[in-house]
Amino acid sequence: MPRQLISSGSPFEAQVGYSRAVVQGDWCFVAGTTGTDPETKIMPDDVVAQGRNALKVIGKALEEAGFAFADVVRVTYYITDAAYWDVMGDIAGPVFGDIRPAASCVVAGLVKPDMKIEIEVTAFKG
C-alpha cells in the first residue's frame, strides 16, 4: 500500500518539512499537534482549550486518513508544566476514556512560549 501524507495546512508543515499525519499500511502516525484554534488560528491561553483544539486537529487528520479515535493505540502528551497533569482528564477523558490507548506524558519545553500542550498519536487498523 502506498504511503499517504495528510496535511492540516499548518505553515510549519512546509517550513520544517513534515506531514500532520502519515499513513503506512494499517498504521497512521499523527505528528505532535499543539492547541491553536483550527478556525480562528488563535492560541488560547488555557491549557484545556489548547488540548481540546489539538484533539480536534488530530481527529480531522485521523478522519481524512480513514481512521478514528477508536483506532488510537498510543498517545503522548507533552506539557510545559507538571501542574497541567491535573486537568488531563478534562482534555483527554472525553476522547480516550473508553478507548484507553497506551499513554505517556512528558514535561518539556515547546517551540513557542504560548504553547502549553502538544499531543501525538499512533493509530492502527488491522
Side-chain angles (χ1 to χ4, degrees):
M1 176 176 264
R3 182 169 144 150
Q4 179 185 2
L5 305 179
I6 306 294
S7 174
S8 65
S10 167
F12 293 125
E13 293 172 20
Q15 180 184 21
V16 179
Y18 75 94
S19 296
R20 172 63 46 217
V22 175
V23 178
Q24 188 71 50
D26 291 334
W27 293 92
C28 181
F29 304 90
V30 181
T33 305
T34 58
T36 300
D37 184 291
E39 284 92 40
T40 66
K41 307 300 182 206
I42 295 171
M43 181 70 74
D45 189 50
D46 177 65
V47 68
V48 173
Q50 286 190 25
R52 289 178 179 161
N53 286 342
L55 288 170
K56 282 181 200 172
V57 173
I58 290 168
K60 185 176 178 197
L62 287 169
E63 183 179 333
E64 187 175 334
F67 289 76
F69 278 117
D71 300 314
V72 172
V73 295
R74 180 89 174 132
V75 60
T76 304
Y77 305 99
Y78 301 92
I79 55 177
T80 59
D81 186 326
Y84 296 153
W85 176 252
D86 295 338
V87 296
M88 286 306 297
D90 296 332
I91 297 167
V95 174
F96 293 121
D98 293 332
I99 300 164
R100 299 182 55 188
S104 298
C105 184
V106 178
V107 179
L110 297 177
V111 298
K112 301 226 180 236
D114 55 342
M115 295 174 174
K116 297 180 178 181
I117 187 168
E118 184 170 340
I119 303 170
E120 67 181 13
V121 305
T122 302
F124 177 76
K125 287 194 309 187

